[in-house]
Amino acid sequence: MPDTPSKKPSLLLVDDDQFLLTMYALKFKNSGFDVEVVNSGFSALQKLRDGYTPRVVLCDLVMPSMDGLEFIKKMKEERLSPLSTVVVLTNQSQSAEIDRAKEIGVDGYIVKASTIPSEVVQKVRTILAKKTK
């Protein structure tokens, strides 16, 4: 169910780096998002299978056991939260990775190394605004 204007947009943050999870969760919460964090693709899938339907899924690519692209593919195959805006947040800046992400239907791709946290929040807002038009 999409968020109503009076409700904070919900965001599922998927990253295996605890420091980054904490930092980005704080940034997004301070910017008016309702944030849930998980540290693996498996945990993210379980949360979605349990019925959580975030407005935005923000996902790292490089994670142990199941990488971000594999998680996104499974999420789409299982039609988990099909209305969510899916954004990749990673240090993988090679065009092959970006192309693979676009092929599976991500809505945005942000490279951590070249974007400060406040810019990440702004880019996610911009991607979200484009998708909801």
Side-chain angles (χ1 to χ4, degrees):
M1 178 193 302
D3 295 310
T4 57
S6 62
K7 192 175 164 220
K8 292 179 179 183
S10 52
L11 180 131
L12 178 61
L13 182 55
V14 187
D15 198 317
D16 63 314
D17 183 319
Q18 191 57 52
F19 172 77
L20 291 178
L21 272 180
T22 303
M23 181 193 58
Y24 282 115
L26 189 62
K27 273 286 178 202
F28 277 97
K29 282 177 184 169
N30 288 343
S31 298
F33 283 81
D34 179 27
V35 182
E36 292 284 329
V37 296
V38 291
N39 63 3
S40 72
F42 289 113
S43 298
L45 281 175
Q46 194 55 58
K47 193 158 199 60
L48 296 174
R49 286 175 183 143
D50 289 344
Y52 182 59
T53 55
R55 185 83 181 278
V56 180
V57 175
L58 188 60
C59 180
D60 188 17
L61 287 188
V62 180
M63 295 184 287
S65 306
M66 177 189 295
D67 71 27
L69 291 179
E70 191 180 343
F71 157 68
I72 294 165
K73 274 187 206 162
K74 283 189 186 303
M75 177 185 157
K76 290 185 177 283
E77 283 166 10
E78 295 182 33
R79 300 204 40 76
L80 298 168
S81 197
L83 299 177
S84 292
T85 298
V86 180
V87 181
V88 169
L89 177 63
T90 184
N91 278 319
Q92 303 300 305
S93 58
Q94 299 88 345
S95 58
E97 288 296 316
I98 297 169
D99 291 344
R100 280 182 58 214
K102 286 183 178 161
E103 279 169 25
I104 62 170
V106 303
D107 299 296
Y109 195 102
I110 302 170
V111 178
K112 290 178 194 173
S114 60
T115 316
I116 61 171
S118 58
E119 289 174 328
V120 170
V121 172
Q122 192 51 52
K123 286 184 179 200
V124 167
R125 285 192 180 284
T126 301
I127 293 163
L128 192 55
K130 283 182 191 165
K131 187 163 180 190
T132 53
K133 278 187 180 172

